[in-house]
Amino acid sequence: MKYILVTGGVISGIGKGIIASSIGTILKSCGLRVTAIKIDPYINIDAGTFSPYEHGEVFVLNDGGEVDLDLGNYERFLDINLYKDNNITTGKIYQHVINKERHGDYLGKTVQVVPHITDAVQEWVMNQAKVPVDDDRKEPQICLGGTIGDIEGMPFVEAFRQFQFKAKRENFCNIHVSLVPQPNATGEQKTKPTQNSVRALRGLGLSPDLIVCRSAKPIEMAVKEKISMFCHVEPEQVIFIHDVSSTYRVPILLEEQGIIKYFKQRLNLPIDDQPSDLLVRWKKMADRYERLLKVCSIALVGKYTKLSDCYASVFKALEHSALAINHKLDLMYIDSTELEHSTEVENSVKYHQAWQKLCKADGILVPGGFGIRGTEGKLQAISWARTKKKPFLGVCLGMQLAVVEFARNCLNWKDANSTEFDPDTKHPVVIDMPEHNPGDMGGTMRLGKRRTVFKSQNSVLRKLYGDEMFVEERHRHRYEVNPELTHCFEEKGLKFVGHDMEGNRMEIIELENHPYFVGVQFHPEFSSRPMKPSPPYLGLLLAATGTLNAYLQRGCKLSP
């Protein structure tokens, strides 16, 4: 097993996840099996109870793990399926060690950060690195991992300082991602932050083998030589990654700077110097992305729109689908509260700007979320999509609100609501699930990959999925459509075309006599891949560009 540790310096959010994913993509293109581990220093057991404004979206894995969004990058780039134990947190490690202490495994000893916590980190990494993540179920050959260098991450840094000797030099490589800022006042690229970052890392006992420098613009050769000299590495060990139009370009930039040759020598890898067809396909995809001329605009109506990372997977799923139909995505984030009547009273300019955006969009997407804030605005957007025949996709809460909107405006149940927002409503069209535990919040939802069975032959979504009898997608919800009231909706044209295995849970809705009005209880964005777009999102983009019917008539084949 070869281990590649990716550390970050100067600022958080520098792109460790994308760099690690891109390196994994390159190594996978050379025929190697790659897995990935993300290390987060917070004390939470997992990411499940975070607000999206803390660390971005919560990514859900097949096994129900609620994890950091970087694992989403790993899965998308490497086309693998990870597990919850691929996300290590301080909380998990301490819980593991404390449970062992209570069990008596350390009887007679003082349990300390060194060696007990650091040993637990190393054992976890070695065990998880062996778990197959590809469809062929073979053990991986390369394990990529990411951690950070601030005070709360110190036990992890110390664990890897020890681990580099345990794994041996030819099996362990450290990549340090740093920032090269370019102040507007001078316009000069500054190396001091990188020098200080590398010096601090060396002081902790880790020496970088590769320094990846992030910058706004391409870095000059003189800067590369200066970093090489002051950071004690060869010039070819300094890699530049400037801001690019799409993340698909990052593996290409890395490969152009000789990273395959470097890894082949440094880790003694049994590979050719040239990448395979996989990287050639990536290059074609990156080139195609940059040449797109036609634009498709989608309005994303959500409550966490101030930070794009809150909807990272949704954005990627839309981007994958847009690329598949040769369109550039214009994603307009609309704060759902700005569509509400209260905003019209308080700030009419903001209200009219939000509605102008919504009216301009080719398609409307209402993603998942929790809590009552912004729900009335989402209901307004759904009503607009339904009455104006605008292509619409509702995901998780978006589907539930589509049911609420239909009940209020088509069934005339004016107080219809979800019991999440109004526990005393006379028409509870969305209810909490029997297994929902209102006491504990962490890990108590319906999580992970579940099977959805199609109940209708002529469902649009069934055709988009290739006329399969069932699909398996990832879930993350506490509430569901009330199965006792579904017949009322069906009579008026809102069809529940997908159920769970038992037929009790409503999974997919479709509206009759509408170009594309679809709601799904699951989160299809989590399984979207750059070369395998998610069918519900692809359907939205096809409908938004007016090409859905032609696509279905061709037997769900994309035009060249």
Side-chain angles (χ1 to χ4, degrees):
M1 179 67 70
K2 309 289 183 182
Y3 299 92
I4 299 173
L5 174 68
V6 181
T7 55
V10 186
I11 58 168
S12 60
I14 198 166
K16 294 188 301 295
I18 297 292
I19 299 291
S21 304
S22 300
I23 288 166
T25 301
I26 290 169
L27 294 172
K28 191 167 183 178
S29 80
C30 295
L32 297 168
R33 294 185 299 278
V34 183
T35 186
I37 290 173
K38 176 71 194 321
I39 297 168
D40 287 302
Y42 42 71
I43 296 172
N44 304 59
I45 298 296
D46 60 27
T49 54
F50 284 146
S51 155
Y53 283 138
E54 290 284 313
H55 293 271
E57 75 168 4
V58 177
F59 190 81
V60 179
L61 303 171
N62 278 347
D63 65 355
E66 296 171 286
V67 297
D68 185 85
L69 60 81
D70 268 337
L71 275 84
N73 286 325
Y74 296 155
E75 285 206 344
R76 282 187 287 270
F77 270 75
L78 300 170
D79 195 15
I80 54 178
N81 290 307
L82 298 170
Y83 301 90
K84 56 185 165 195
D85 284 347
N86 287 79
N87 193 190
I88 305 175
T89 68
T90 297
K92 280 183 185 174
I93 294 292
Y94 274 77
Q95 187 182 56
H96 173 71
V97 171
I98 289 166
N99 287 343
K100 284 179 79 175
E101 187 274 330
R102 291 290 84 189
H103 189 252
D105 291 14
Y106 306 118
L107 216 52
K109 292 195 177 76
T110 305
V111 181
Q112 295 172 289
V113 172
V114 181
H116 301 101
I117 295 293
T118 52
D119 283 354
V121 172
Q122 293 172 62
E123 282 169 29
W124 195 302
V125 168
M126 285 192 290
N127 291 336
Q128 198 59 31
K130 294 175 188 166
V131 177
V133 291
D134 280 309
D135 292 338
D136 63 8
R137 312 307 298 154
K138 288 183 180 173
E139 189 177 305
Q141 297 160 289
I142 305 269
C143 177
L144 283 156
T147 182
I148 53 166
D150 61 15
I151 192 164
E152 56 186 358
M154 284 305 112
F156 293 109
V157 176
E158 172 57 22
F160 284 106
R161 185 195 67 77
Q162 298 171 18
F163 187 68
Q164 64 187 330
F165 302 111
K166 190 182 284 188
K168 302 285 187 291
R169 179 175 159 73
E170 65 272 17
N171 299 322
F172 183 89
C173 178
N174 178 15
I175 298 169
H176 189 61
V177 186
S178 185
L179 179 71
V180 176
Q182 193 167 4
N184 288 333
T186 61
E188 187 184 359
Q189 291 171 329
K190 297 293 184 184
T191 64
K192 193 68 74 183
T194 298
Q195 292 177 44
N196 291 338
S197 181
V198 170
R199 190 181 303 120
L201 190 65
R202 281 225 169 84
L204 297 168
L206 286 168
S207 289
D209 296 290
L210 280 177
I211 300 170
V212 178
C213 298
R214 290 279 292 107
S215 63
K217 294 176 183 168
I219 294 176
E220 295 147 18
M221 198 63 201
V223 177
K224 180 172 188 167
E225 287 165 358
K226 191 173 181 183
I227 291 170
S228 163
M229 183 167 64
F230 285 104
C231 295
H232 197 63
V233 291
E234 294 283 345
E236 57 265 27
Q237 290 170 265
V238 181
I239 306 285
F240 299 151
I241 301 292
H242 57 273
D243 292 350
V244 284
S245 58
S246 89
T247 51
Y248 307 131
R249 183 62 64 191
V250 178
I252 315 302
L253 283 178
L254 288 166
E255 192 267 330
E256 284 169 355
Q257 293 177 66
I259 207 164
I260 296 176
K261 188 179 176 186
Y262 177 79
F263 278 129
K264 184 182 178 181
Q265 293 169 346
R266 174 68 182 76
L267 294 173
N268 196 20
L269 296 174
I271 56 174
D272 296 327
D273 286 352
Q274 294 302 314
S276 70
D277 294 345
L278 178 64
L279 210 60
V280 173
R281 290 208 306 275
W282 268 89
K283 190 172 188 317
K284 282 181 183 170
M285 186 167 64
D287 291 342
R288 196 154 55 90
Y289 181 89
E290 285 164 14
R291 286 199 303 265
L292 295 173
L293 297 173
K294 290 187 250 176
V295 177
C296 178
S297 61
I298 300 292
L300 188 153
V301 183
K303 59 191 280 190
Y304 311 115
T305 53
K306 290 181 180 69
L307 182 68
S308 59
D309 270 358
C310 297
Y311 298 112
S313 290
V314 171
F315 170 67
K316 287 295 175 189
L318 287 168
E319 192 179 59
H320 299 161
S321 297
L323 187 58
I325 62 168
N326 295 314
H327 277 69
K328 196 181 272 288
L329 175 69
D330 174 21
L331 184 58
M332 299 184 287
Y333 292 96
I334 300 174
D335 187 334
S336 55
T337 56
E338 293 175 6
L339 299 171
E340 295 175 1
H341 179 65
S342 57
T343 305
E344 186 181 18
V345 175
E346 292 162 18
N347 189 336
S348 61
V349 173
K350 203 177 260 189
Y351 172 82
H352 289 294
Q353 283 174 343
W355 272 102
Q356 196 175 18
K357 268 194 205 173
L358 188 75
C359 298
K360 212 166 59 175
D362 299 318
I364 296 168
L365 170 71
V366 178
F370 296 91
I372 194 167
R373 183 177 70 81
T375 51
E376 288 304 318
K378 290 178 182 176
L379 287 165
Q380 296 280 347
I382 292 165
S383 185
W384 168 265
R386 181 179 60 78
T387 55
K388 302 295 179 189
K389 296 209 177 325
K390 282 273 183 188
F392 165 80
L393 175 63
V395 175
C396 196
L397 177 65
M399 167 184 149
Q400 294 171 7
L401 291 177
V403 171
V404 171
E405 188 278 330
F406 194 87
R408 288 183 185 179
N409 297 321
C410 297
L411 303 182
N412 215 26
W413 298 348
K414 294 302 176 189
D415 73 330
N417 215 330
S418 164
T419 55
E420 181 182 4
F421 312 129
D422 181 5
D424 303 318
T425 175
K426 290 195 181 106
H427 293 99
V429 294
V430 177
I431 55 173
D432 58 345
M433 297 184 300
E435 64 266 56
H436 172 214
N437 175 4
D440 285 335
M441 297 298 278
T444 57
M445 289 184 273
R446 185 166 179 249
L447 291 162
K449 188 163 84 170
R450 310 287 175 120
R451 183 169 289 190
T452 295
V453 181
F454 285 107
K455 296 291 179 185
S456 167
Q457 288 288 340
N458 61 353
S459 149
V460 173
L461 213 50
R462 178 171 182 163
K463 289 170 187 166
L464 286 164
Y465 272 105
D467 215 22
E468 298 287 343
M469 293 182 70
F470 63 85
V471 292
E472 291 182 327
E473 294 278 11
R474 300 175 188 184
H475 292 69
R476 185 180 185 242
H477 63 108
R478 281 197 182 92
Y479 292 83
E480 62 187 7
V481 174
N482 188 343
E484 291 176 11
L485 300 175
T486 53
H487 63 280
C488 303
F489 293 91
E490 299 247 352
E491 286 165 11
K492 292 282 187 176
L494 188 69
K495 303 294 184 185
F496 294 88
V497 298
H499 301 177
D500 72 341
M501 296 276 286
E502 288 73 39
N504 300 325
R505 294 200 159 110
M506 304 303 117
E507 293 279 356
I508 304 169
I509 60 165
E510 289 178 12
L511 182 63
E512 289 181 339
N513 304 317
H514 193 286
Y516 190 80
F517 191 96
V518 172
V520 290
Q521 184 58 71
F522 44 83
H523 287 267
E525 64 270 19
F526 293 142
S527 46
S528 181
R529 301 286 186 264
M531 296 174 199
K532 287 185 277 184
S534 164
Y537 285 91
L538 183 62
L540 176 66
L541 268 291
L542 286 163
T545 54
T547 54
L548 178 60
N549 288 336
Y551 176 77
L552 295 175
Q553 284 163 11
R554 284 196 304 270
C556 293
K557 288 186 175 67
L558 292 164
S559 58

